[in-house]
Amino acid sequence: GIDNNCDGWADSDWNGDGYEPNDVEAYNLGDIDGTEVELAGAYIHPYTDTDIYRFYVEDNFWDLFNIDVSVTNVPGTLDLELSLWFVEEEDGTVISEEVDSADDGGLGSDEEVSVGEGFWPSGQTGWYEVVVSSKDTDSCTSDYTLIIDANTR
C-alpha cells in the first residue's frame, strides 16, 4: 500500500494515483490534437516522485499550432516544477528537446508552460511529454490537476 495520510505507514484505504507508474515510462494520452484534456487525481508522493504524460499533436500548414500546459489546484505542501518536451517527430525520429519549463511559484502555486507556432508554418507534429516533479516536498493527501490544451486555436 501507499502511505495516504503521511503517517509513515501503508494504509489499506488508498485508491492510489491512477496514472502510476509514470515515473520513467510516461502515461500515454494518445492523440489529443484539437482537444483540451484535464487530468485530476494525480499525486506527487513521495517527494522523489516524477509524473510523465505523453501525447501526440499535429502541426498542420494552416493552423496556429499551440500547446499550453498548466498544473492547477496544487496542494499547499507542493512546490512543483513543470516541463514540456518534444520527444519524437512524426516519422519516429527521437528528439528529446525541452521546449519550455516553469518553476516560478512556490508552495501551492500553479505553473504553466507552452509552445507556439515556430518559424515554419508546420513541422512540430509528433509526440510530446509533460514532466511534473517537486522541489523536495510531497502531498499524499491532496492531488493536483494537469490541463493540456493541444492545438485548439
Side-chain angles (χ1 to χ4, degrees):
I2 302 287
D3 176 18
N4 70 336
N5 61 3
C6 301
D7 65 358
W9 294 91
D11 300 319
S12 61
D13 58 349
W14 170 257
N15 290 327
D17 182 336
Y19 307 106
E20 294 288 350
N22 64 344
D23 299 358
V24 176
E25 193 72 30
Y27 182 85
N28 194 338
L29 300 169
D31 185 345
I32 63 169
D33 187 61
T35 64
E36 181 178 284
V37 175
E38 184 172 322
L39 304 172
Y43 295 82
I44 296 291
H45 182 69
Y47 74 92
T48 56
D49 185 22
T50 297
D51 292 343
I52 306 171
Y53 305 89
R54 183 180 176 97
F55 58 92
Y56 184 85
V57 179
E58 291 185 26
D59 182 10
N60 296 307
F61 188 79
W62 300 110
D63 68 2
L64 292 175
F65 181 79
N66 74 291
I67 300 173
D68 300 311
V69 180
S70 60
V71 286
T72 64
N73 301 319
V74 177
T77 59
L78 280 180
D79 182 3
L80 292 182
E81 300 172 320
L82 182 64
S83 59
L84 177 63
W85 292 77
F86 186 24
V87 294
E88 186 178 327
E89 290 183 342
E90 179 179 22
D91 64 4
T93 303
V94 175
I95 302 280
S96 293
E97 174 184 323
E98 185 178 54
V99 294
D100 196 13
S101 65
D103 181 21
D104 301 325
L107 292 172
S109 296
D110 296 350
E111 298 285 355
E112 297 178 353
V113 293
S114 64
V115 62
E117 188 69 60
F119 181 73
W120 300 104
S122 63
Q124 295 171 290
T125 296
W127 289 94
Y128 290 81
E129 288 183 355
V130 172
V131 179
V132 182
S133 59
S134 174
K135 295 178 68 174
D136 301 325
T137 59
D138 66 5
S139 177
C140 61
T141 57
S142 300
D143 62 332
Y144 67 86
T145 301
L146 177 70
I147 301 170
I148 304 171
D149 183 355
N151 215 18
T152 60
R153 290 187 192 162

